[in-house]
Amino acid sequence: MKQNFFKSFFIVLTALFFCAQVFCGGTEPKKRVVILATGGTIAGAGDQGKETGYKPGELSVESLVAAVPGIERLADIQAIQVCNLNSDDITSEIWIELANIINKMSKDSGVAGFVITHGTDTMEETAWFLNMTVKTEKPVVLTGSMRPATSLSADGPMNLYQAVCVAASPKSVGKGVLVVFSDVIISARAMAKQSSFSVTAISAGMVGSIGVVRNDSVDYYESPSKKHTVAAEFSVKSVKTLPKVNIVYFAVDSDPEILKFAASRSDGLVIAGAGAGEFSQKFVEVIDGLKIPVAISSRVKEGIITQDAVLCKNTVAANDLSPQKAAILLRLALLNKTTSQADLLRIFSEY
């Protein structure tokens, strides 16, 4: 009798506990967000209060996390210092390392997403490279700052806080590599640095941001439509370096001999042309004779290059990609041994 009473009591207690979990919101394990730090202004330090004259990449990732009040409420943070550099010193070898770290760690079911702290000068290049080489639908979010940590009203802590919000959000799954900066969410393909000083320097240009972060809430209004991440055909799993692609900038009286020199030291070239990717007749004569792939982009901030308008028929239009992003896409295409014009046209169209 007593045994049946205790058995019934245990069943009732278990049922009450289950109901409490359902109706009162049981405690779930916190998501884990991995922060991969690479340096930049967000980790910069200088004279107290000043916005210039600082040294990038001075503070550790632990210091960055410690400077963000409430970040521990968003997720369990795992901090990894990949490097600590001015972003102008980032290399393709570091890109490959980042991609491989993410691809390996993303297999851990306990990891919800990734945040990469990065200098703003080359952030768009790192984001774009990762957008085509990480093989996970889990969020990968880049952020940084325009003011060093030692300045007045440093923007790094807020940007890092919001980046973790986005990386921890289920809404961010499958959106490709993202950039979070000054309250907005931008796709890697659209992101560009538009100012050398403003805290809103990171922009999506004519394409526009795809979402916003407000009071820990992540809201999306658009989704990237071009191929990225798991749908991309590029892999750097067993790669140590990338093919060489240099960018040649055209201006009035630009010496075409520079083209010949750049071509001799490159596996492919990108021309940053004037207007809709145009350049002088002297440039045309040299480019017509080149035996390596050449992509045509524009030095204009919002430039679209169409294949029917290119001056040299042996070249490939970069569509709306900036010269630096066109160079990365061409490097990855060459990594796949893609050199025919038809295949390059397909790649520049799909990505």
Side-chain angles (χ1 to χ4, degrees), residues 45 141 161 205 241 276 331:
V141 183
Y161 184 91
T241 189
R331 294 178 81 177

Side-chain angles (χ1 to χ4, degrees), residues 22-87:
V22 172
F23 294 108
C24 300
T27 303
E28 295 181 0
K30 256 193 298 191
K31 301 166 185 176
R32 177 155 47 104
V33 170
V34 180
I35 298 179
L36 303 171
T38 67
T41 298
I42 193 171
D47 293 340
Q48 200 66 35
K50 290 189 176 181
E51 297 176 22
T52 59
Y54 61 89
K55 186 175 180 182
E58 284 291 282
L59 303 181
S60 68
V61 63
E62 291 80 11
S63 297
L64 297 184
V65 173
V68 186
I71 197 171
E72 70 283 350
R73 296 196 309 267
L74 304 174
D76 286 330
I77 302 298
Q78 180 178 356
I80 299 173
Q81 191 80 52
V82 178
C83 58
N84 214 352
L85 302 170
N86 182 334
S87 71

Side-chain angles (χ1 to χ4, degrees), residues 248-256 271-274 278-280 283 299:
V248 178
Y249 191 101
F250 172 76
V252 170
D253 284 340
S254 289
D255 189 346
I271 310 299
E278 301 198 11
F279 32 80
S280 68
F283 261 49
R299 67 186 197 185

Side-chain angles (χ1 to χ4, degrees), residues 64-205:
L64 297 184
V65 173
V68 186
I71 197 171
E72 70 283 350
R73 296 196 309 267
L74 304 174
D76 286 330
I77 302 298
Q78 180 178 356
I80 299 173
Q81 191 80 52
V82 178
C83 58
N84 214 352
L85 302 170
N86 182 334
S87 71
D88 300 302
D89 292 314
I90 292 288
T91 64
S92 57
E93 287 75 20
I94 295 172
W95 288 347
I96 293 167
E97 182 182 3
L98 282 169
N100 286 328
I101 289 172
I102 292 168
N103 288 338
K104 181 179 180 180
M105 295 190 73
S106 64
K107 296 176 182 177
D108 183 345
S109 61
V111 173
F114 301 84
V115 170
I116 300 170
T117 59
H118 199 287
T120 58
D121 280 358
T122 62
M123 183 185 290
E124 64 192 276
E125 293 167 73
T126 299
W128 177 231
F129 172 83
L130 294 175
N131 196 51
M132 293 178 289
T133 55
V134 296
K135 302 305 175 188
T136 179
E137 291 194 327
K138 293 181 179 181
V140 177
V141 183
L142 280 80
T143 195
S145 74
M146 289 300 293
R147 295 172 180 167
T150 48
S151 71
L152 291 175
S153 300
D155 54 328
M158 174 61 97
N159 286 341
L160 182 53
Y161 184 91
Q162 292 185 336
V164 172
C165 280
V166 172
S169 173
K171 296 178 184 178
S172 303
V173 173
K175 294 285 197 300
V177 175
L178 304 167
V179 175
V180 170
F181 218 90
S182 296
D183 304 325
V184 299
I185 308 169
I186 303 170
S187 69
R189 192 180 190 283
M191 179 258 163
K193 184 173 181 177
Q194 306 283 6
S195 169
S196 64
F197 67 92
S198 172
V199 292
T200 58
I202 303 305
S203 167

